[in-house]
Amino acid sequence: MLRDDGAQFMLKDLPVKALAFKNISVEGYSRAAVQTYWRIPELKIGFDLGAQPWSFMGTPTWFVSHTHIDHLAALPAYVARRRMMRMEPPLIYLPEAAIDPVQRILRLVSRLDRGRLPCTLLPLRPGDEVELSRELVVTVSATRHTVPSLGFVVWERRRKLKPEYLELSGEQIRDLRLGGAEVTRETRIPRVAYLGDSAPEGLDACPAMYQAEVLILEVTFVAPSHRKERIHKFGHMHLDDLLERRDRLRNELIIASHFSTRYHSRQIRTLVERAVPDMLGGRLHLWL
Ligand SMILES: [Zn+2]
Ligand SMILES: [Zn+2]
């Protein structure tokens, strides 16, 4: 919606929680079987399209972890809004197996709506690397769920002087450069990891998830009475799975989300605080 002066105001539609961390912010909401959507506005990317708050429309690139309805349902609405607002067609990355069916769905929705749905759908496989810009790269890993599913790590790339040249003067480095020598090397910092829906193997399969500054992960079940074997079979995590991996988690911020609707928010907080009184040294944040 636009005001007369063209400035956008906040429209109250879907819940959005936000948390600032260093020079980025994490925005979104996630509840199992309801809706999941996240974005990092500063990095111009989002994860999952289970719903699309009006304020998320300006984010042009999305990574869809898997095609369960609560992670995908808003795709046509998002594409249509961007067209209506005369924004560039978005770029949407999906698990490879989803490309063809999603393309067909968009064609049918387009026919019902009698409106074009311009977007680029791109397939992803575990092991892929997506270059977003000179500074940003996204790597793709396998997760384990009940449909084809992927996890993502966003890396910041920097070029650093190779250690053997650290003692040289600026002039010497310039000469080496002019002589064709590669004086810098690339370093990568894992900034944000997004697990999507997955049994704990998805986390273990991607060591960078344990190293990322921010880890956004699903902890669908938190009650001690909920059986882990069943939870894993359906491709989900229990709070105990996270706690078993406590020593490996190097993250500065761990966002636990995607809680089951069987729990009330208060109940989740109570159960987690009872199981992890120190909240992993204050790093564990419940997205409620
Ligand atoms: Zn889900
Ligand atoms: Zn799912």
Side-chain angles (χ1 to χ4, degrees):
M1 222 179 256
L2 292 174
R3 279 202 308 240
D4 289 346
D5 60 3
Q8 229 167 331
F9 64 87
M10 283 300 286
L11 188 75
K12 270 226 176 305
D13 52 351
L14 291 157
V16 177
K17 270 186 65 117
L19 187 63
F21 174 83
K22 295 187 179 173
N23 61 342
I24 58 169
S25 43
V26 179
E27 294 181 4
Y29 182 80
S30 171
R31 202 73 194 239
V34 183
Q35 49 198 17
T36 290
Y37 43 89
W38 299 93
R39 71 164 185 168
I40 318 286
E42 296 81 4
L43 306 183
K44 300 187 171 67
I45 58 169
F47 301 107
D48 286 342
L49 290 159
Q52 174 75 195
W54 185 257
S55 62
F56 277 26
M57 187 197 323
T59 296
T61 303
W62 287 79
F63 291 83
V64 175
S65 65
H66 66 294
T67 49
H68 275 151
I69 298 292
D70 52 320
H71 295 253
L72 183 73
L75 173 58
Y78 162 66
V79 175
R81 283 177 189 178
R82 283 188 62 98
R83 188 210 64 212
M84 182 180 78
M85 301 303 276
R86 299 183 197 285
M87 293 172 164
E88 283 293 304
L91 221 56
I92 298 147
Y93 292 93
L94 297 141
E96 189 177 32
I99 295 288
D100 183 51
V102 169
Q103 233 146 21
R104 278 187 282 158
I105 288 169
L106 286 179
R107 267 200 297 276
L108 290 173
V109 173
S110 176
R111 199 200 291 171
L112 289 171
D113 185 64
R114 299 205 183 162
R116 288 183 313 110
L117 291 172
C119 63
T120 306
L121 305 179
L122 294 164
L124 288 180
R125 283 169 236 94
D128 279 354
E129 205 169 289
V130 177
E131 214 165 290
L132 292 176
S133 66
R134 255 175 49 158
E135 293 81 27
L136 285 182
V137 177
V138 175
T139 54
V140 181
S141 60
T143 56
R144 202 170 69 70
H145 199 42
T146 54
V147 294
S149 60
L150 300 169
F152 308 106
V153 178
V154 187
W155 305 76
E156 191 179 312
R157 294 195 286 195
R158 287 184 198 153
R159 296 216 66 92
K160 278 197 173 154
L161 204 57
K162 286 182 179 172
E164 59 265 41
Y165 301 131
L166 283 173
E167 304 293 312
L168 301 186
S169 70
E171 215 165 80
Q172 286 171 308
I173 289 164
R174 193 202 56 199
D175 289 346
L176 278 168
R177 235 190 213 128
L178 289 173
E182 185 54 75
V183 294
T184 59
R185 65 184 165 88
E186 185 187 294
T187 57
R188 290 185 175 195
I189 304 154
R191 297 296 314 272
V192 180
Y194 178 63
L195 178 66
D197 284 11
S198 178
E201 291 97 306
L203 202 55
D204 298 338
C206 180
M209 294 234 179
Y210 288 101
Q211 305 292 332
E213 291 177 0
V214 180
L215 169 63
I216 304 169
L217 86 167
E218 71 128 294
V219 181
T220 308
F221 295 93
V222 294
S225 57
H226 283 135
R227 282 184 32 233
K228 275 199 280 177
E229 308 74 57
R230 237 183 109 71
I231 293 166
H232 295 169
K233 193 173 149 222
F234 289 103
H236 287 298
M237 299 251 303
H238 189 283
L239 177 64
D240 292 345
D241 297 314
L242 185 67
L243 300 184
E244 275 168 22
R245 289 159 176 79
R246 182 179 179 128
D247 294 343
R248 296 166 64 185
L249 297 161
R250 294 276 165 271
N251 320 89
E252 294 174 48
L253 176 66
I254 299 162
I255 295 176
S257 67
H258 195 270
F259 299 107
S260 165
T261 51
R262 292 165 209 218
Y263 311 119
H264 192 279
S265 296
R266 247 191 347 262
Q267 199 183 354
I268 296 166
R269 191 164 288 287
T270 308
L271 286 166
V272 174
E273 285 174 355
R274 194 176 298 157
V276 210
D278 77 331
M279 295 299 275
L280 299 175
R283 294 175 299 155
L284 180 61
H285 191 100
L286 306 181
W287 209 261
L288 291 168

